[in-house]
Amino acid sequence: MRQGTVDGSAPWVATDGPARQVTVEGPALQVAVDNPARQVADEIRAAGGEAIAHGGDIATSAGAASLVAAALETYGRLDTLVNNAGFLRDRMLVNLDEDDWDAVVRVHLKGHFLPLKHAAAYWRAEAKAGRTPVARVVNTSSGAGLLGSLGQANYSAAKAGIVALTLVAAAELGRYGVQVNAIAPAARTRMTERTFAESMAAPEAGFDAMAPANVSPLAVWLGSAASEGVTGRVFEAEGGRITVMEGWRAGPSADKGARWTPEEAGEAALKLLGEAGVPGPVYGA
């Protein structure tokens, strides 16, 4: 996961969720971080930016709080939070263990909620002190969370929860200068490289549609001041395509003005379904 501050010099706090052991130090910070997080920070610095790596468990309140604190102690302010924690434990529903359900929901959904909560507390305090921030949050959902995906009930439910969290946060935090949006990316990552190794493999030549770098420009724009006025929206990003996703909204409706009988309700429902659009298919169906 990559979370942190973004401004003209693009400082970042890079973390990959629950830590694997490698130690780095920063101002008022000495934490264990894993190699991928350190590599991300190294790449940013090599490109001329500023970055530190953080190894706290962002699915705990203490870990999420320390992440926000690390950004503030290092850079003095927090402008943008990008939530991107996740991993897979795929099973068909009847074979899905409770532990695998809990683990995926914990990392994806709770791992978005807690950093958002602690960042929002900081931004609210800034706004109340008369320093209303220009703040941005980019959450990471998935097509599985929008349409569902066979063999991924836990992942789909968690990613759908992230969309709902995004909508609520956008409505609640706008008064403090905070915009909250979500992306549903399709790209080759450490999480997908085994499960979808063949379909997401890089081509020998030409445009690499599954390169993670294809998603980055949209995330950067949503995390910047240039996205002023855009909040509570969900974007799908894959290859060279960006799509604004349109979620649940009222469709065909019937009002009897009194209580329906089961038979009447069934007749009305079938009539309304005939007038409604057909939902997109579940992935893998």
Side-chain angles (χ1 to χ4, degrees), residues 103-277:
V104 169
V105 172
R106 176 185 184 274
V107 171
H108 284 272
L109 187 51
K110 193 175 182 182
H112 275 59
F113 159 64
L114 287 173
L116 175 55
K117 174 185 176 180
H118 288 284
Y122 163 74
W123 287 321
R124 182 182 65 175
E126 287 291 284
K128 289 186 174 182
R131 299 184 297 270
T132 301
V134 177
R136 305 287 186 262
V137 178
V138 182
N139 290 328
T140 306
S141 182
S142 168
L146 303 175
L147 295 175
S149 179
L150 293 184
Q152 294 187 310
N154 48 2
Y155 177 75
S156 298
K159 288 303 192 184
I162 289 169
V163 171
L165 175 64
T166 298
L167 300 180
V168 173
E172 291 186 356
L173 302 180
R175 72 189 72 177
Y176 305 124
V178 184
Q179 293 182 184
V180 187
N181 294 285
I183 57 174
R188 184 174 54 254
T189 68
R190 285 187 295 143
M191 191 175 74
T192 61
E193 62 186 357
R194 293 184 180 179
T195 306
F196 307 105
E198 185 174 341
S199 62
M200 288 192 169
E204 294 183 2
F207 179 52
D208 183 0
M210 289 294 107
N214 298 332
V215 178
S216 302
L218 177 60
V220 169
W221 182 78
L222 288 172
S224 74
S227 64
E228 177 65 29
V230 179
T231 192
R233 306 306 293 263
V234 180
F235 297 84
E236 194 169 57
E238 177 180 352
R241 185 178 69 248
I242 295 173
T243 305
V244 176
M245 303 304 290
E246 297 181 338
W248 294 108
R249 62 182 63 197
S253 177
D255 184 357
K256 180 183 176 181
R259 182 178 300 156
W260 301 87
T261 67
E263 292 79 10
E264 289 173 334
E267 291 176 1
L270 290 174
K271 181 177 183 295
L272 295 173
L273 286 171
E275 301 169 359

Side-chain angles (χ1 to χ4, degrees), residues 40-113:
V40 169
D42 289 344
E43 289 174 6
I44 292 171
R45 286 193 291 266
E50 300 178 36
I52 61 170
H54 178 276
D57 182 351
I58 46 77
T60 66
S61 186
S66 70
L67 176 67
V68 173
L72 294 175
E73 291 171 8
T74 305
Y75 302 112
R77 74 190 211 202
L78 178 65
D79 300 315
T80 301
L81 170 67
V82 178
N83 280 315
N84 193 36
F87 70 103
L88 298 174
R89 289 190 179 177
D90 293 350
R91 297 286 189 279
M92 298 302 283
L93 186 60
V94 295
N95 296 320
L96 182 60
D97 292 335
E98 184 179 356
D99 288 347
D100 286 341
W101 173 275
D102 290 344
V104 169
V105 172
R106 176 185 184 274
V107 171
H108 284 272
L109 187 51
K110 193 175 182 182
H112 275 59
F113 159 64

